[in-house]
Amino acid sequence: MAVMGRIHSVETFGTVDGPGIRYVVFAQGCNLKCKFCHNRDTWEMNAGKLVSSDEIIEDMLKYKSFYKDGGITMSGGEAALQVDFVRDIFKQAKKHEVHTCLDTNGYLDVERIKPILEYTDLVLLDLKHMIPENSIWLTGAPSEKAQILARYLDDVNIPVYIRHVLIPDITDSEENLTRMVNFVKTLHNVVRFEFLPYHIMGVSKWEQMNKEYELKYIRPATQEDVDKAKALFIKNGYDHFEK
């Protein structure tokens, strides 16, 4: 039986949310309140479009030939908040031999999302900030749950891309990055680490919704910022970056 869920939008030719070309579903609803969010319009749980898991799979299969080296990614918002919906999409995708990827902020109880992970080939895990009080300021929540999820994924050997939004003067401090690399080095399932340069392309959404964008004084991250952060990781013995 199909499961109903709420989505914000669908991208049929995604190239940055997992390996290869991907069918990306942006789920509606999020449990964090990141000050740098570029999809501010995905936060509200009861907004968006109500669709069934069967509709998602039927539409995705129209383009299956493009996803030979890619697959389907459930992103958001926070897709894992809709456990039964995502689980059914992934379960059906696996029946059609389509690679499945969950893009998550990790602010979830592991026990709650195990039904999804049963059918998940890859997790994109966002580590927002390693210093608890800074994480709360930036996202509205501490980062411990994401670290607990990372350790669980390591225990059950589900491959992970860890991603970190590099925000000048907020997440690029030596203390934060040193804590992060030291944590990532303890995991054995991390396929690669991605620095995502902070940008301001989502500010217009905040303005359209008459919401205050608190980081308007922060400049976008440059390639030099990314290179500097990578150098710190390499200095600390980690170099598994995106190719």
Side-chain angles (χ1 to χ4, degrees):
M1 180 180 295
V3 180
M4 303 302 293
R6 288 193 175 275
I7 66 169
H8 173 271
S9 57
V10 167
E11 183 177 353
T12 59
F13 206 80
T15 59
V16 296
D17 296 299
I21 298 170
R22 309 194 69 85
Y23 186 94
V24 184
V25 181
F26 295 93
Q28 184 69 35
C30 192
N31 52 356
L32 293 184
K33 302 292 180 281
C34 298
K35 295 179 186 293
F36 57 90
C37 182
H38 58 273
N39 288 320
R40 175 62 180 84
D41 50 348
T42 66
W43 286 12
E44 283 69 29
M45 296 297 299
N46 295 319
K49 180 182 179 183
L50 190 62
V51 299
S52 73
S53 52
D54 285 356
E55 289 177 86
I56 294 293
I57 292 296
E58 182 179 347
D59 189 54
M60 182 270 292
L61 290 177
K62 295 177 184 175
Y63 314 98
K64 185 184 176 184
S65 60
F66 292 105
Y67 307 139
K68 181 180 178 182
D69 298 318
I72 184 170
T73 295
M74 293 298 302
S75 185
E78 177 49 59
L81 294 176
Q82 302 184 64
V83 174
D84 294 339
F85 179 58
V86 177
R87 178 184 185 274
D88 196 59
I89 289 172
F90 277 9
K91 183 178 180 181
Q92 292 195 56
K94 296 306 298 176
K95 286 181 179 178
H96 292 282
E97 299 182 337
V98 173
H99 182 272
T100 59
C101 177
L102 175 67
D103 181 10
T104 178
N105 61 39
Y107 189 58
L108 304 152
D109 293 326
V110 171
E111 289 298 324
R112 179 168 169 72
I113 66 168
K114 280 184 177 178
I116 297 175
L117 299 178
E118 183 179 353
Y119 298 100
T120 301
D121 293 315
L122 174 70
V123 173
L124 309 185
L125 177 60
D126 290 345
L127 288 182
K128 307 288 188 179
H129 210 300
M130 299 300 285
I131 301 172
E133 56 270 29
N134 292 4
S135 178
I136 292 171
W137 176 84
L138 185 63
T139 73
S143 58
E144 282 84 352
K145 282 190 175 182
Q147 296 172 47
I148 291 171
L149 176 60
R151 295 212 180 282
Y152 174 76
L153 296 172
D154 189 28
D155 290 343
V156 297
N157 199 31
I158 294 178
V160 172
Y161 290 4
I162 289 185
R163 309 205 289 187
H164 177 58
V165 178
L166 197 66
I167 310 175
D169 301 325
I170 294 180
T171 68
D172 66 345
S173 70
E174 182 170 348
E175 180 184 4
N176 181 51
L177 295 178
T178 300
R179 288 192 188 196
M180 191 165 293
V181 66
N182 286 337
F183 174 73
V184 173
K185 282 165 52 180
T186 66
L187 306 173
H188 307 87
N189 60 330
V190 180
V191 178
R192 70 187 195 187
F193 188 100
E194 297 179 339
F195 282 112
L196 306 180
Y198 167 70
H199 61 73
I200 57 175
M201 289 185 285
V203 174
S204 60
K205 291 185 178 180
W206 289 73
E207 294 173 344
Q208 290 168 9
M209 298 177 70
N210 292 318
K211 304 293 184 183
E212 180 184 6
Y213 189 75
E214 295 184 48
L215 303 188
K216 53 190 174 187
Y217 58 91
I218 299 295
R219 66 171 175 82
T222 64
Q223 185 60 47
E224 183 179 358
D225 295 320
V226 173
D227 291 343
K228 184 177 178 181
K230 284 184 177 179
L232 188 147
F233 268 48
I234 292 170
K235 178 183 175 183
N236 284 275
Y238 187 90
D239 64 353
H240 302 300
F241 300 112
E242 69 278 18
K243 302 300 181 185

